[in-house]
Amino acid sequence: MCIVMPLKVMEINGTQASGEINGMKKTVRIDLIESLEEGDYILINAGVALSRISKKKAKEIREYIDEMARL
Amino acid sequence: MRGKNNVIKEMLSRINEFNEEINIIELSSVHTADVEKYLLKDILNNNINIISVSGCPITLIPAFYIDYLFNLSLKEDVIILAYSDLLKIPGSTPDITLGKAKDKGANIRVIFSSIDAINIALHNHTKKVVFIASGFETNIGSSVIAIKEAETIGLDNFFIFSLHRNMEGIIRYFLENQNKKIDGLILPGNFSLVMGEEGYDFLNSYELPSVITGFSFLDILSSIEIIVNQKINGTGQLVNNYNLPMPYEGNKIAKGYIKEYFDIDDDFNRALGKVPGSVYRLKKKFDKYNIDKIYPLEEYISKLSIDSSNNEQCEKVMKGAILPLECLCFKKQCTRLNPIGPTMASSEGICFVVSKYT
């Protein structure tokens, strides 16, 4: 699965973080990320956060995913 | 928007000034989609060839492993859990798919995360729950998180079947088995989120322009320009053109997990034969989570043999020897609704992607 999705972290609870994608609440594992804070943006793949990214990058990736989905 | 279009126009113009033959391999469905959607082959001059090879790890799963899972799911009291695309991948015939086993009554479910497998195992403690762990290094951290959770909880009914692929082994195969000279490589960016730019270091020995590339059209076009410029200058270097800030060494935690739980090994890959260092196997000390130790492969398939899909054209598409459009079955007998081979069955397969735009 190549697709990574950006997520804004709204809540952190141990090894889980939750945020919103397309209006739906999403809970993911953050075991692979060091020192995450609420308000951070992360890239997720198969329910797991792989990397922290900037808000600007998250927006770009989101726009790309939406554009590809429109085809 | 006008600014971006001008950038693209000027970039294309510079690339098209180059008039020698140049062959560039790409192996990610994201890049295949960009090539097709933006008609890249039409707007680049004919001397610039973009060769798509099948880098989708699901398409590389040998047919006999699908046969194994198909038979296992129908014969034993197990719950098989997989990411959705795996259900459509054909085994030794198009009638052998996990989706069809499910239609016959096998307990097969689609999951979106490895932790879903843990939750299902918790709620079905009388059954053996088998998580099919697929994907390149990008996904292995997710598999390890599930195994660690099983260890912590003390689950005795959670198992995995590792079909994880090793990016270096697969790329080496594609580079060393082409019938034309390869001048450049467009590399999937997401792999480097986990393995870092360091994960592609092995390419330095090939002295081949190799560019870690993001997902947009501008990303792929700028990577092509980097490759063309290196060709002009006679250099062959790895370049990181994936515009996401990440440590050179990647995700240390994920890499540590991979090393702790898995060994790299040789194994068969569909259409490619046995490829050295191309897969990840769960380490022996975690045998208790390995479904293959409970239900050995050879007891559920008729013979352990080199995978021959009996579909030469499919194999040629996978290796980049022919285009999907050159396959006689493409969009005739073989469609997204009724796929024959894995590259049409997987939504990230070359044929599936190309068929969306043609």
Side-chain angles (χ1 to χ4, degrees):
Chain A
M1 290 175 58
C2 289
I3 301 153
V4 289
M5 298 274 273
L7 182 85
K8 182 178 178 182
V9 176
M10 308 296 270
E11 202 182 316
I12 296 173
N13 198 350
T15 53
Q16 293 189 112
S18 54
E20 202 184 284
I21 292 182
N22 291 337
M24 281 174 50
K25 186 178 176 186
K26 188 107 183 131
T27 302
V28 298
R29 291 292 291 245
I30 54 171
D31 309 56
L32 306 180
I33 308 290
E34 288 170 352
S35 57
L36 195 64
E37 287 176 12
E38 285 168 18
D40 282 347
Y41 288 83
I42 48 177
L43 273 182
I44 58 172
N45 175 268
V48 171
L50 297 181
S51 173
R52 200 190 292 102
I53 54 170
S54 67
K55 181 177 177 180
K56 183 173 172 235
K57 259 304 153 188
K59 184 167 179 268
E60 265 178 45
I61 295 170
R62 182 77 250 164
E63 282 169 1
Y64 170 79
I65 292 170
D66 290 343
E67 192 191 321
M68 289 309 268
R70 274 196 289 273
L71 251 182
Chain B
M1 178 61 88
R2 199 171 294 158
K4 190 174 165 185
N5 282 347
N6 280 340
V7 166
I8 289 172
K9 207 169 142 189
E10 284 161 17
M11 205 175 275
L12 260 171
S13 172
R14 288 193 300 267
I15 292 169
N16 281 333
E17 278 172 13
F18 184 75
N19 54 22
E20 285 174 38
E21 186 176 328
I22 182 166
N23 300 311
I24 300 172
I25 283 181
E26 65 83 11
L27 61 147
S28 157
S29 63
V30 163
H31 297 144
T32 309
D34 281 339
V35 167
E36 293 302 318
K37 181 185 169 189
Y38 296 103
L39 302 171
L40 195 55
K41 292 176 185 178
D42 291 352
I43 59 179
L44 288 174
N45 287 344
N46 288 342
N47 57 300
I48 302 170
N49 300 307
I50 311 291
I51 301 165
S52 299
V53 297
S54 193
C56 169
I58 303 289
T59 64
L60 294 169
I61 297 168
F64 62 79
Y65 283 137
I66 303 295
D67 289 9
Y68 165 70
L69 293 165
F70 179 90
N71 293 328
L72 182 70
S73 71
L74 287 168
K75 287 187 177 151
E76 305 296 342
D77 192 17
V78 295
I79 302 176
I80 305 273
L81 304 172
Y83 300 127
S84 62
D85 266 1
L86 204 57
L87 267 66
K88 293 180 246 164
I89 299 298
S92 51
T93 74
D95 288 333
I96 298 176
T97 71
L98 293 184
K100 292 189 170 134
K102 187 176 157 82
D103 292 341
K104 289 175 188 285
N107 198 337
I108 297 176
R109 306 183 199 181
V110 170
I111 56 172
F112 300 97
S113 140
S114 61
I115 290 300
D116 294 343
I118 294 294
N119 292 331
I120 291 169
L122 277 168
H123 287 100
N124 292 274
H125 47 85
T126 60
K127 294 190 187 288
K128 289 184 175 54
V129 172
V130 186
F131 167 55
I132 303 177
S134 56
F136 281 113
E137 285 86 345
T138 320
N139 290 92
I140 301 180
S142 166
S143 300
V144 171
I145 287 170
I147 300 167
K148 279 179 166 296
E149 200 71 17
E151 288 177 301
T152 305
I153 299 171
L155 272 180
D156 61 3
N157 65 326
F158 171 82
F159 300 90
I160 85 159
F161 185 58
S162 176
L163 292 172
H164 283 303
R165 253 93 195 121
N166 176 288
M167 182 70 80
E168 178 178 336
I170 297 299
I171 288 180
R172 282 187 185 277
Y173 173 90
F174 282 127
L175 284 181
E176 294 168 14
N177 290 276
Q178 293 294 319
N179 55 15
K180 47 178 94 170
K181 182 177 175 294
I182 299 305
D183 303 293
L185 189 50
I186 291 172
L187 297 165
N190 291 340
F191 165 86
S192 55
L193 289 174
V194 172
M195 301 303 283
E197 185 180 329
E198 188 181 55
Y200 284 125
D201 261 357
F202 70 92
L203 285 162
N204 286 322
S205 65
Y206 290 87
E207 294 180 354
L208 181 74
S210 308
V211 189
I212 306 172
T213 303
F215 43 82
S216 74
F217 179 60
L218 192 52
D219 287 331
I220 199 172
L221 204 60
S222 60
S223 291
I224 292 171
E225 187 174 25
I226 290 168
I227 291 170
V228 165
N229 286 340
Q230 285 203 24
K231 179 124 170 130
I232 291 168
N233 296 328
T235 52
Q237 289 167 334
L238 177 64
V239 171
N240 188 351
N241 191 32
Y242 190 21
N243 296 314
L244 277 183
M246 60 190 158
Y248 171 77
E249 61 277 2
N251 185 317
K252 274 197 244 180
I253 300 174
K255 285 169 70 172
Y257 278 10
I258 295 171
K259 249 191 159 143
E260 187 186 347
Y261 281 78
F262 288 88
D263 289 322
I264 297 170
D265 202 359
D266 308 341
D267 201 3
F268 296 102
N269 286 271
R270 192 183 297 242
L272 314 186
K274 198 165 194 181
V275 179
S278 60
V279 301
Y280 284 95
R281 294 204 200 282
L282 200 57
K283 279 188 187 306
K284 270 203 84 54
K285 59 182 173 178
F286 301 108
D287 266 357
K288 69 176 188 176
Y289 296 112
N290 191 344
I291 195 66
D292 183 30
K293 302 300 172 197
I294 315 295
Y295 299 118
L297 198 78
E298 49 276 7
E299 290 176 19
Y300 293 86
I301 56 174
S302 55
K303 58 178 177 168
L304 196 66
S305 60
I306 293 171
D307 173 53
S308 58
S309 65
N310 298 323
N311 192 333
E312 241 182 73
Q313 290 193 96
C314 209
E315 292 184 2
K316 284 182 181 172
V317 171
M318 288 186 68
K319 293 188 235 192
I322 63 170
L323 299 171
L325 285 160
E326 291 169 324
C327 170
L328 298 171
C329 301
F330 181 70
K331 290 181 84 169
K332 300 186 183 83
Q333 301 95 311
C334 185
T335 62
R336 296 199 300 275
L337 265 179
N338 291 301
I340 294 176
T343 50
M344 187 65 92
S346 167
S347 66
E348 293 177 18
I350 299 172
C351 295
F352 187 102
V353 171
V354 170
S355 71
K356 278 169 63 173
Y357 301 105
T358 50

